[in-house]
Amino acid sequence: MSGRALEVLIVEDEMLLAIELEHLIEEVGCHPLGCAMSSEEAVALAQRLHPDLALVDVHLSDGPTGVDVARKISQDCGGVALFMTANVKRLPEDFAGACGVIGKPYSEHGVKTALSYLAHCLREGQAPGPTPVGLTLAPAYANLWGLDQNLGQTA
Amino acid sequence: MDDYSESRRAGDRLAAGHGIDDPFAAAIRATRMAMIVTDASQADNPIIFANDAFLKLTGYERDEIIGRNCRMLQGPETSRTAIETLSRAVAAGEDAKVELLNYRKDGTTFWNALYISPVRNDAGEIVYFFGSQLDVTDKKTAEAKVLEHRDGLEQVVEDRTRELTDALEQKTALLHEVDHRVKNNLQLISSLLLLQTRRVPDPALKASLKGMLGRVNAIATVHRRLFQSEDVERFDVSAFIRDMVADLMGSAGRDDIEMQLNLERVDIPAAKAAPFALVVNELLTNALKHGFPEGRGGRIFVGVSRLNGDFRIEITDNGVGMDKQASGFGLTIVQLLCQQLKAKCETTDAEPGTRVLVLLPVNGAH
């Protein structure tokens, strides 16, 4: 991690999922910054802590506000958002500025692989290879990280 | 000299040429078809002859209409377009055929299929117009009813289509909602198992929990795949196996085991996806865990193809052989689910290693 571990904010209203995500984040050598359960909490934490990456569920304790959270984090907080949702098809086409999505239900290995992959992308500005199973990149980020979109997107 | 006497004289002149024994004149007088003759040489083309049928149709007496223009039959509801068509034909000296609403003497209306035609003399000048009137009220009423009925039907079809579209939208929304909940609940179950696996110190118990986690993950992989295709009824076996293998191999972290895939595109009904996924998960996990103890590398082959009426799924490893494969619960799961899927499962010695063949009937049973 070029000296510094990737700092990750969790935006998830299911406590059990959030706690398990913290473990996974630590296991791949990143640093969990904390967990927000509502959009208000998420934006406040992001503004204060400036995470490198925010894992954002679409349905939060105050409703389907995750999309707005992702947009705010990428526009105002200088961080990169990654959706984690069961409703991949309902995301806006531009991914609300987020770099991609991990579809629920994800596996332990799926999340770890995706996090390591994104850590590399964020550090090097370049993808280390095709996107791993379970991760779908937003078209803008696939471009940014030098992926042919047809190869970059998982089916 | 008033119009009436002038027109009556013109009528008399016309009749003078056609005596009582003239069969054509007799026919016109007696026919049930209303007929009139107008005098084109007089101003405003007045009626100079009308037969009895015309009087019966319009309710006028003969002396009430002789000397008057036919427009006396028109009223406020008479179509302007039809009247213009008539005027143009008269001015141009041509035939015309129109259907227009006319008014009787008592103010009641009838639909008149009117035909007019100029009558020329030897010099070719128009001297008369001949007109015939047919009451087509019944036909018009029927047409109007058909139109009304059609509009009604169109409205019914439109309403019904809207209802069905709304119902479909609701159903789709509900499907998405249920799908969403199933996925989130599977995520919750898998996270619960993972959390407990982390806390349990006993290796045997840890292994059991990991086994269950693997099974839940297999079902989760099915649900991630299920609604990705447009056809919600079918399940793409090869795409699923590719996902499963990536996940299992990744979690196992065994770089010394090489995976070989030969996957034909094969679909099974969505209802069979979960039991099928559990069978594949057990067989792959068995091959990984029991075929290759730590330190022994090798190769696992997974093939999916069609064979006669079956889908043939082959999982072959070149590991230590089947004597050591002893996961009782895992094998029970495979046996029970194959029974459920009406599939045949055969395990043979691959010398070295183990070959498992699953034959899944495409339609019905063996």
mmCIF file of all heavy atoms in Angstrom, chain A residues 101-103 106-107 109-111 113-114 130-136 152 154-155, chain B residues 221 224-225 239-240 242-247:
data_model
loop_
_atom_site.group_PDB
_atom_site.id
_atom_site.type_symbol
_atom_site.label_atom_id
_atom_site.label_comp_id
_atom_site.label_asym_id
_atom_site.label_seq_id
_atom_site.Cartn_x
_atom_site.Cartn_y
_atom_site.Cartn_z
ATOM 1 N N VAL A 101 -19.586 -1.882 -8.547
ATOM 2 C CA VAL A 101 -20.532 -2.526 -7.634
ATOM 3 C C VAL A 101 -20.114 -3.970 -7.362
ATOM 4 O O VAL A 101 -19.598 -4.655 -8.245
ATOM 5 C CB VAL A 101 -21.970 -2.469 -8.204
ATOM 6 C CG1 VAL A 101 -22.065 -3.167 -9.545
ATOM 7 C CG2 VAL A 101 -22.977 -3.072 -7.232
ATOM 8 N N ILE A 102 -20.311 -4.374 -6.113
ATOM 9 C CA ILE A 102 -20.238 -5.786 -5.755
ATOM 10 C C ILE A 102 -21.664 -6.220 -5.469
ATOM 11 O O ILE A 102 -22.337 -5.639 -4.621
ATOM 12 C CB ILE A 102 -19.359 -6.012 -4.506
ATOM 13 C CG1 ILE A 102 -17.895 -5.681 -4.814
ATOM 14 C CG2 ILE A 102 -19.484 -7.452 -4.026
ATOM 15 C CD1 ILE A 102 -16.968 -5.836 -3.621
ATOM 16 N N GLY A 103 -22.138 -7.221 -6.216
ATOM 17 C CA GLY A 103 -23.513 -7.673 -6.037
ATOM 18 C C GLY A 103 -23.648 -8.533 -4.790
ATOM 19 O O GLY A 103 -22.780 -9.348 -4.499
ATOM 20 N N TYR A 106 -22.486 -11.486 -1.697
ATOM 21 C CA TYR A 106 -21.075 -11.676 -2.067
ATOM 22 C C TYR A 106 -20.475 -12.756 -1.186
ATOM 23 O O TYR A 106 -21.048 -13.127 -0.167
ATOM 24 C CB TYR A 106 -20.298 -10.375 -1.907
ATOM 25 C CG TYR A 106 -20.538 -9.646 -0.603
ATOM 26 C CD1 TYR A 106 -19.995 -10.124 0.590
ATOM 27 C CD2 TYR A 106 -21.291 -8.471 -0.563
ATOM 28 C CE1 TYR A 106 -20.212 -9.450 1.782
ATOM 29 C CE2 TYR A 106 -21.519 -7.792 0.628
ATOM 30 C CZ TYR A 106 -20.972 -8.288 1.799
ATOM 31 O OH TYR A 106 -21.184 -7.642 2.975
ATOM 32 N N SER A 107 -19.319 -13.257 -1.590
ATOM 33 C CA SER A 107 -18.618 -14.239 -0.760
ATOM 34 C C SER A 107 -17.417 -13.556 -0.131
ATOM 35 O O SER A 107 -16.960 -12.515 -0.599
ATOM 36 C CB SER A 107 -18.174 -15.427 -1.599
ATOM 37 O OG SER A 107 -17.131 -15.034 -2.457
ATOM 38 N N HIS A 109 -14.382 -14.489 -0.225
ATOM 39 C CA HIS A 109 -13.297 -14.406 -1.201
ATOM 40 C C HIS A 109 -13.574 -13.336 -2.252
ATOM 41 O O HIS A 109 -12.674 -12.604 -2.659
ATOM 42 C CB HIS A 109 -13.109 -15.771 -1.867
ATOM 43 C CG HIS A 109 -12.088 -15.752 -2.949
ATOM 44 N ND1 HIS A 109 -12.416 -15.838 -4.275
ATOM 45 C CD2 HIS A 109 -10.742 -15.600 -2.896
ATOM 46 C CE1 HIS A 109 -11.313 -15.764 -4.992
ATOM 47 N NE2 HIS A 109 -10.277 -15.624 -4.185
ATOM 48 N N GLY A 110 -14.867 -13.218 -2.672
ATOM 49 C CA GLY A 110 -15.234 -12.219 -3.671
ATOM 50 C C GLY A 110 -14.912 -10.808 -3.204
ATOM 51 O O GLY A 110 -14.337 -10.007 -3.953
ATOM 52 N N VAL A 111 -15.257 -10.492 -1.953
ATOM 53 C CA VAL A 111 -15.010 -9.150 -1.419
ATOM 54 C C VAL A 111 -13.514 -8.892 -1.272
ATOM 55 O O VAL A 111 -13.007 -7.833 -1.653
ATOM 56 C CB VAL A 111 -15.708 -8.967 -0.053
ATOM 57 C CG1 VAL A 111 -15.292 -7.652 0.587
ATOM 58 C CG2 VAL A 111 -17.210 -9.010 -0.225
ATOM 59 N N THR A 113 -11.002 -10.282 -2.886
ATOM 60 C CA THR A 113 -10.370 -10.132 -4.199
ATOM 61 C C THR A 113 -10.672 -8.749 -4.772
ATOM 62 O O THR A 113 -9.789 -8.073 -5.304
ATOM 63 C CB THR A 113 -10.898 -11.204 -5.172
ATOM 64 O OG1 THR A 113 -10.957 -12.435 -4.482
ATOM 65 C CG2 THR A 113 -10.003 -11.338 -6.378
ATOM 66 N N ALA A 114 -11.943 -8.340 -4.644
ATOM 67 C CA ALA A 114 -12.351 -7.043 -5.190
ATOM 68 C C ALA A 114 -11.610 -5.910 -4.475
ATOM 69 O O ALA A 114 -11.143 -4.959 -5.126
ATOM 70 C CB ALA A 114 -13.856 -6.863 -5.054
ATOM 71 N N PRO A 130 -8.008 -8.196 -15.735
ATOM 72 C CA PRO A 130 -9.472 -8.153 -15.849
ATOM 73 C C PRO A 130 -10.130 -8.134 -14.472
ATOM 74 O O PRO A 130 -9.564 -8.649 -13.507
ATOM 75 C CB PRO A 130 -9.824 -9.436 -16.606
ATOM 76 C CG PRO A 130 -8.600 -10.262 -16.657
ATOM 77 C CD PRO A 130 -7.430 -9.412 -16.338
ATOM 78 N N THR A 131 -11.312 -7.537 -14.370
ATOM 79 C CA THR A 131 -11.982 -7.438 -13.067
ATOM 80 C C THR A 131 -12.346 -8.828 -12.564
ATOM 81 O O THR A 131 -12.788 -9.673 -13.333
ATOM 82 C CB THR A 131 -13.280 -6.605 -13.156
ATOM 83 O OG1 THR A 131 -13.995 -7.034 -14.308
ATOM 84 C CG2 THR A 131 -12.997 -5.147 -13.243
ATOM 85 N N PRO A 132 -12.164 -9.077 -11.258
ATOM 86 C CA PRO A 132 -12.465 -10.398 -10.710
ATOM 87 C C PRO A 132 -13.967 -10.672 -10.684
ATOM 88 O O PRO A 132 -14.772 -9.741 -10.736
ATOM 89 C CB PRO A 132 -11.893 -10.329 -9.291
ATOM 90 C CG PRO A 132 -11.828 -8.885 -8.968
ATOM 91 C CD PRO A 132 -11.611 -8.166 -10.247
ATOM 92 N N VAL A 133 -14.327 -11.946 -10.611
ATOM 93 C CA VAL A 133 -15.733 -12.367 -10.525
ATOM 94 C C VAL A 133 -16.386 -11.683 -9.328
ATOM 95 O O VAL A 133 -15.808 -11.628 -8.247
ATOM 96 C CB VAL A 133 -15.813 -13.902 -10.350
ATOM 97 C CG1 VAL A 133 -17.248 -14.327 -10.056
ATOM 98 C CG2 VAL A 133 -15.299 -14.610 -11.588
ATOM 99 N N GLY A 134 -17.561 -11.139 -9.524
ATOM 100 C CA GLY A 134 -18.283 -10.512 -8.419
ATOM 101 C C GLY A 134 -18.168 -9.000 -8.418
ATOM 102 O O GLY A 134 -18.977 -8.321 -7.812
ATOM 103 N N LEU A 135 -17.165 -8.470 -9.091
ATOM 104 C CA LEU A 135 -16.996 -7.015 -9.161
ATOM 105 C C LEU A 135 -17.334 -6.532 -10.570
ATOM 106 O O LEU A 135 -16.877 -7.099 -11.548
ATOM 107 C CB LEU A 135 -15.552 -6.627 -8.814
ATOM 108 C CG LEU A 135 -15.182 -5.145 -8.989
ATOM 109 C CD1 LEU A 135 -15.910 -4.268 -7.986
ATOM 110 C CD2 LEU A 135 -13.673 -4.940 -8.853
ATOM 111 N N THR A 136 -18.158 -5.487 -10.641
ATOM 112 C CA THR A 136 -18.425 -4.847 -11.926
ATOM 113 C C THR A 136 -17.987 -3.394 -11.812
ATOM 114 O O THR A 136 -18.393 -2.695 -10.876
ATOM 115 C CB THR A 136 -19.929 -4.904 -12.270
ATOM 116 O OG1 THR A 136 -20.343 -6.276 -12.244
ATOM 117 C CG2 THR A 136 -20.206 -4.345 -13.650
ATOM 118 N N GLY A 152 -13.502 -5.841 -19.272
ATOM 119 C CA GLY A 152 -13.483 -5.445 -17.872
ATOM 120 C C GLY A 152 -14.724 -5.834 -17.101
ATOM 121 O O GLY A 152 -14.631 -6.213 -15.942
ATOM 122 N N THR A 154 -17.633 -7.999 -15.730
ATOM 123 C CA THR A 154 -17.979 -9.409 -15.593
ATOM 124 C C THR A 154 -19.409 -9.589 -16.081
ATOM 125 O O THR A 154 -20.209 -8.680 -16.027
ATOM 126 C CB THR A 154 -17.888 -9.861 -14.121
ATOM 127 O OG1 THR A 154 -18.673 -8.988 -13.332
ATOM 128 C CG2 THR A 154 -16.462 -9.843 -13.636
ATOM 129 N N ALA A 155 -19.672 -10.798 -16.568
ATOM 130 C CA ALA A 155 -20.973 -11.044 -17.210
ATOM 131 C C ALA A 155 -22.141 -10.880 -16.247
ATOM 132 O O ALA A 155 -21.996 -11.072 -15.077
ATOM 133 C CB ALA A 155 -20.982 -12.466 -17.770
ATOM 134 N N THR B 221 -24.505 -17.907 -4.871
ATOM 135 C CA THR B 221 -24.018 -17.745 -6.249
ATOM 136 C C THR B 221 -25.155 -17.983 -7.238
ATOM 137 O O THR B 221 -25.278 -17.280 -8.244
ATOM 138 C CB THR B 221 -22.852 -18.718 -6.518
ATOM 139 O OG1 THR B 221 -21.867 -18.524 -5.506
ATOM 140 C CG2 THR B 221 -22.232 -18.477 -7.876
ATOM 141 N N ARG B 224 -27.305 -14.852 -7.250
ATOM 142 C CA ARG B 224 -26.649 -13.740 -7.930
ATOM 143 C C ARG B 224 -26.807 -13.895 -9.434
ATOM 144 O O ARG B 224 -26.974 -12.931 -10.159
ATOM 145 C CB ARG B 224 -25.171 -13.720 -7.559
ATOM 146 C CG ARG B 224 -24.709 -12.369 -7.134
ATOM 147 C CD ARG B 224 -23.263 -12.284 -6.695
ATOM 148 N NE ARG B 224 -22.406 -13.357 -7.057
ATOM 149 C CZ ARG B 224 -21.836 -14.184 -6.169
ATOM 150 N NH1 ARG B 224 -22.108 -14.062 -4.900
ATOM 151 N NH2 ARG B 224 -21.027 -15.130 -6.568
ATOM 152 N N ARG B 225 -26.765 -15.141 -9.895
ATOM 153 C CA ARG B 225 -26.839 -15.441 -11.327
ATOM 154 C C ARG B 225 -28.278 -15.440 -11.852
ATOM 155 O O ARG B 225 -28.492 -15.156 -13.022
ATOM 156 C CB ARG B 225 -26.244 -16.824 -11.601
ATOM 157 C CG ARG B 225 -24.749 -16.820 -11.675
ATOM 158 C CD ARG B 225 -24.296 -16.819 -13.122
ATOM 159 N NE ARG B 225 -22.944 -16.283 -13.247
ATOM 160 C CZ ARG B 225 -22.561 -15.491 -14.237
ATOM 161 N NH1 ARG B 225 -23.407 -15.130 -15.155
ATOM 162 N NH2 ARG B 225 -21.341 -15.047 -14.294
ATOM 163 N N ALA B 239 -21.890 -20.811 -16.698
ATOM 164 C CA ALA B 239 -21.526 -19.529 -16.072
ATOM 165 C C ALA B 239 -21.456 -19.698 -14.557
ATOM 166 O O ALA B 239 -20.553 -19.167 -13.898
ATOM 167 C CB ALA B 239 -22.558 -18.456 -16.434
ATOM 168 N N PHE B 240 -22.402 -20.474 -14.014
ATOM 169 C CA PHE B 240 -22.421 -20.721 -12.573
ATOM 170 C C PHE B 240 -21.157 -21.465 -12.141
ATOM 171 O O PHE B 240 -20.508 -21.108 -11.150
ATOM 172 C CB PHE B 240 -23.667 -21.536 -12.197
ATOM 173 C CG PHE B 240 -23.570 -22.188 -10.860
ATOM 174 C CD1 PHE B 240 -23.727 -21.446 -9.703
ATOM 175 C CD2 PHE B 240 -23.269 -23.543 -10.750
ATOM 176 C CE1 PHE B 240 -23.608 -22.045 -8.455
ATOM 177 C CE2 PHE B 240 -23.151 -24.151 -9.513
ATOM 178 C CZ PHE B 240 -23.319 -23.400 -8.366
ATOM 179 N N ARG B 242 -18.287 -21.555 -13.559
ATOM 180 C CA ARG B 242 -17.120 -20.661 -13.651
ATOM 181 C C ARG B 242 -17.014 -19.793 -12.378
ATOM 182 O O ARG B 242 -15.942 -19.667 -11.794
ATOM 183 C CB ARG B 242 -17.251 -19.780 -14.900
ATOM 184 C CG ARG B 242 -15.958 -19.695 -15.702
ATOM 185 C CD ARG B 242 -16.150 -18.982 -17.022
ATOM 186 N NE ARG B 242 -16.650 -19.872 -18.055
ATOM 187 C CZ ARG B 242 -17.751 -19.661 -18.759
ATOM 188 N NH1 ARG B 242 -18.486 -18.591 -18.552
ATOM 189 N NH2 ARG B 242 -18.132 -20.518 -19.678
ATOM 190 N N ASP B 243 -18.147 -19.240 -11.942
ATOM 191 C CA ASP B 243 -18.169 -18.428 -10.711
ATOM 192 C C ASP B 243 -17.764 -19.258 -9.495
ATOM 193 O O ASP B 243 -16.966 -18.826 -8.661
ATOM 194 C CB ASP B 243 -19.584 -17.878 -10.452
ATOM 195 C CG ASP B 243 -19.921 -16.718 -11.373
ATOM 196 O OD1 ASP B 243 -19.086 -16.418 -12.252
ATOM 197 O OD2 ASP B 243 -21.006 -16.127 -11.220
ATOM 198 N N MET B 244 -18.362 -20.465 -9.396
ATOM 199 C CA MET B 244 -18.105 -21.344 -8.255
ATOM 200 C C MET B 244 -16.628 -21.695 -8.162
ATOM 201 O O MET B 244 -16.023 -21.659 -7.085
ATOM 202 C CB MET B 244 -18.892 -22.659 -8.422
ATOM 203 C CG MET B 244 -20.282 -22.654 -7.882
ATOM 204 S SD MET B 244 -20.326 -22.545 -6.096
ATOM 205 C CE MET B 244 -19.670 -24.141 -5.669
ATOM 206 N N VAL B 245 -16.068 -22.076 -9.312
ATOM 207 C CA VAL B 245 -14.666 -22.500 -9.335
ATOM 208 C C VAL B 245 -13.764 -21.335 -8.930
ATOM 209 O O VAL B 245 -12.857 -21.505 -8.105
ATOM 210 C CB VAL B 245 -14.289 -23.038 -10.736
ATOM 211 C CG1 VAL B 245 -12.777 -23.134 -10.894
ATOM 212 C CG2 VAL B 245 -14.935 -24.400 -10.966
ATOM 213 N N ALA B 246 -14.055 -20.138 -9.470
ATOM 214 C CA ALA B 246 -13.237 -18.969 -9.124
ATOM 215 C C ALA B 246 -13.285 -18.737 -7.616
ATOM 216 O O ALA B 246 -12.251 -18.479 -6.980
ATOM 217 C CB ALA B 246 -13.740 -17.736 -9.864
ATOM 218 N N ASP B 247 -14.470 -18.855 -7.034
ATOM 219 C CA ASP B 247 -14.629 -18.586 -5.615
ATOM 220 C C ASP B 247 -13.973 -19.661 -4.754
ATOM 221 O O ASP B 247 -13.239 -19.366 -3.807
ATOM 222 C CB ASP B 247 -16.126 -18.477 -5.282
ATOM 223 C CG ASP B 247 -16.358 -17.571 -4.090
ATOM 224 O OD1 ASP B 247 -15.911 -16.410 -4.156
ATOM 225 O OD2 ASP B 247 -16.944 -18.033 -3.103
#
